[in-house]
Amino acid sequence: MKHDTSQMIKREEHLPVILIGEGLLVGMIGGLIVLAYRIALKYAGKWMDEIITFAGQSPMRMAGWMLVLMVLAVLVGLLVRWEPMISGSGIPQLEGEMAGKLSQKWWRVLPAKFAGGFLSLLAGLSLGREGPSIQLGAMAGKGISKLLKRDRTEEKFLLTCGASAGLSAAFHAPLAGVMFSLEEVHKNFSVSVLISVMTASITADYISSQFIGIEPVFQFDIGNVLPQNYYWMIVVLGVILGCFGAFYNWFTLTVQAMYKKVSWLNEVTRLLIPFTLAGIFAFTVPELLGSGHELIDLMTDHKLLLGGAIFLLAAKFVFSAICFGSGAPGGIFFPLLVLGALTGGIFGMIGVNYFGMDPDYINNFVLLAMAGYFTAIVRAPLTGIILIFEMTGSVSQMLSLSIISIVAYIVATLLKSDPIYESLLERLLAGRGERKEEGSREKVLMRQSVMFGSAAADHEVGEIQWPDHCLLVSIQRSGREIIPRGNTMIRAGDVLVTMTEEQYAGEMHDEVREICEE
């Protein structure tokens, strides 16, 4: 649908209020979809355990389950071939769409992602529910935008609302849903988007909690606050997690590249590899199957010895990379939290065995390592801190969580490890080409916050080299709207509202962001 430019600018004045109502709608529908997905995955895990118990009673039954896994691999591969955008977690696809570089067909992604994720977890692949939940929520937002005939500018707000609702409903973490959608997806903290995203996130969490309850995802005892004389161990663990996170990113991308280098592997045949491994592990090391929630329980209940924990960490690490690299629909979010928890638990056990640490503090390091490892890989420290305390229900570790997240962030950055979702998006765009709506004349409004020390801060509008096809529409400052002129001074903290044609949205997004952030 074409939108008149004057109507678009006029609607912009009332957009914050409009978005609250639309955020409520997206939160309701997105929350219900993700709730259904979460329940489906719960049954997938339950049925998988029952099937493995039954099949393990005889070699013939084992062979039968292996045959079923081959069929499941083919079905999932055909879904990926039918709709390639469901491959992997879905977060890079969403970020690409937000940047104007990709376009997803919401009515295809929703059923395909739901079915593909369900079948992958039924088979026991080491994947998470959070990435698919975020993509499902975002596609619910896009579907609502299309049905209401909203322009592309407003559609991006609804995509962000849907992403927030998806994470909130998946993990009972409304604040983390808000922070992740702003920090990682929208990359903008304007008031208008914040209120609408909060509305969607809280609505989705309320709907989810009515069916699943309000208990945190992880329920393990964090005895006492870690004493300050152990804080040197937090720094050491942060350095380890920063290095381990950088290695994780490199290894995940390497495995993904290896799949693509083998000529006879396609969307279907490459999935046979992780599905076959899942069948082998089902009758040898079943702890490796699924997202890995049981591994955290084993670690926090102190049921693992040091050697066993190290083996499970290494095996889970490799198996997760093989599953994700294959392109199976599923995320890395939850498995990386499991890997972080195992790392923290191993570090804690070493502290007990060799440095005289009190065993009661092992669970503290399990919790801290989840946040630090997440930060090192995703490079979203605020989301990591908030997510962990919402998923565990513990708010007593905020100082230590902050320290380990900062250290892991710095180490991963110094190692020049790019955030995993940005790296995955680059791979996706390189394989597909930056998809744009060539010839589209629809206008798109974009917002970008001005950072301290950037090229735009403390400069007049006329002094800045603006990108081609870019029109600066307004400057939002402290709740006021300023009509820009050549001598208008731009200040740090301003939100610049720019306009371009849809076909140039991707490149302009990057160029304006560079002006405002560097």
Side-chain angles (χ1 to χ4, degrees), residues 87-90 92 125-128 130 248 252-253 255-256 259 274 318-333 420-421 424:
S87 177
S89 71
L125 267 60
S126 181
L127 298 168
E130 72 304 316
Y248 175 94
T252 300
L253 296 173
V255 171
Q256 188 182 66
Y259 273 109
V318 175
F319 185 44
S320 297
I322 292 173
C323 292
F324 185 77
S326 69
I332 58 174
F333 213 99
I420 186 63
Y421 292 125
L424 291 170

Side-chain angles (χ1 to χ4, degrees), residues 214-293:
I214 60 175
E215 294 295 327
V217 174
F218 298 128
Q219 300 180 39
F220 56 86
D221 180 50
I222 305 293
N224 299 312
V225 177
L226 197 67
Q228 290 190 1
N229 61 302
Y230 287 138
Y231 272 35
W232 67 271
M233 299 181 69
I234 297 179
V235 176
V236 173
L237 180 58
V239 173
I240 294 173
L241 292 170
C243 297
F244 191 26
F247 178 71
Y248 175 94
N249 288 359
W250 173 84
F251 189 77
T252 300
L253 296 173
T254 300
V255 171
Q256 188 182 66
M258 290 174 62
Y259 273 109
K260 295 180 179 179
K261 286 181 179 179
V262 182
S263 58
W264 56 270
L265 290 179
N266 54 37
E267 297 92 338
V268 177
T269 55
R270 65 173 172 241
L271 287 173
L272 294 173
I273 297 174
F275 276 79
T276 301
L277 286 175
I280 296 172
F281 290 148
F283 307 114
T284 55
V285 195
E287 294 86 357
L288 298 178
L289 300 181
S291 60
H293 194 289

Side-chain angles (χ1 to χ4, degrees), residues 470-484:
C470 170
L471 174 65
L472 181 60
V473 176
S474 70
I475 301 173
Q476 297 176 354
R477 180 181 300 163
S478 302
R480 297 183 300 112
E481 186 172 47
I482 301 172
I483 303 301

Side-chain angles (χ1 to χ4, degrees), residues 50-81:
E50 293 175 352
I51 290 171
I52 291 174
T53 301
F54 174 77
Q57 297 174 3
S58 74
M60 288 296 294
R61 292 177 181 177
M62 291 182 187
W65 177 235
M66 294 296 293
L67 181 61
V68 170
L69 288 175
M70 298 303 101
V71 175
L72 293 179
V74 172
L75 290 176
V76 174
L78 292 175
L79 284 172
V80 174
R81 178 176 291 175

